[in-house]
Amino acid sequence: VDGNIYKTIVIGNQTWMAENLRVTHYRNDTAIPDVTDNEEWAALTTGAYCNYNNTKDLDTIATYGRLYNWYAVADIQKLAPEGWRVPTINDWLELIDYLGGDTIASKHLKEVRDYHWRAPVISNNSSGFTAIPNGWRYLSESSSRIGSYNALWTSSEYDNEKAGFLYLHRNTTIVYKATNFKQNGYSVRLIKETD
């Protein structure tokens, strides 16, 4: 989609994209709205994306990917190209378990050293997943936490207001699992469909 090319990595029995998604169109080529206004973003109940701090810098976007609300994740037009999908919470749990469990897996998922992560960062990226600390957009607040957090959507809905996500912090080895508002802007990593 959009002519993007992504690195991929096989981890256990799963194949993941090793970069954050950066599409601006759904699979059927329908444009995803780029919403830059904070109040408009907070009121959305339909799919949208933004760039961190609304940047237009293509190098920054290529590095960190884009931030999507959960309505874009769940849209029937699909964010993922053919053969790929947004992971469920169970997909993430399989990955986390393969890498040693909740308390250690973050170390194996994060990009090595402090090239993008703020020091100190605990990481060895032994999985090749290469999680980048691209922060998030929280309801009506501007983008924040770049360098310290990597927040990733799941496709799993919790209730009418919230959906599941995971986040990694720079100086812990824990993978945190939680739910939060569907209007939030988080990263998306895709997993390959299995036959």
Side-chain angles (χ1 to χ4, degrees), residues 132-148:
I132 300 288
N134 60 317
W136 57 61
R137 187 172 185 171
Y138 182 71
L139 291 178
S140 61
E141 294 178 14
S142 299
S143 303
S144 64
R145 309 294 182 167
I146 198 166
S148 294

Side-chain angles (χ1 to χ4, degrees), residues 76-104:
I76 60 170
Q77 298 175 94
K78 302 195 181 297
L79 274 180
E82 193 71 37
W84 295 81
R85 60 181 168 79
V86 178
T88 65
I89 187 61
N90 288 331
D91 293 323
W92 284 112
L93 291 175
E94 181 178 337
L95 176 66
I96 291 165
D97 287 346
Y98 182 80
L99 297 176
D102 291 356
T103 60
I104 195 66

Side-chain angles (χ1 to χ4, degrees), residues 30 46 63 65 84 94 104 112 147 161 180 186:
T30 299
T46 55
T63 298
W84 295 81
E94 181 178 337
I104 195 66
V112 175
E161 295 183 342
N180 217 324
Y186 297 144

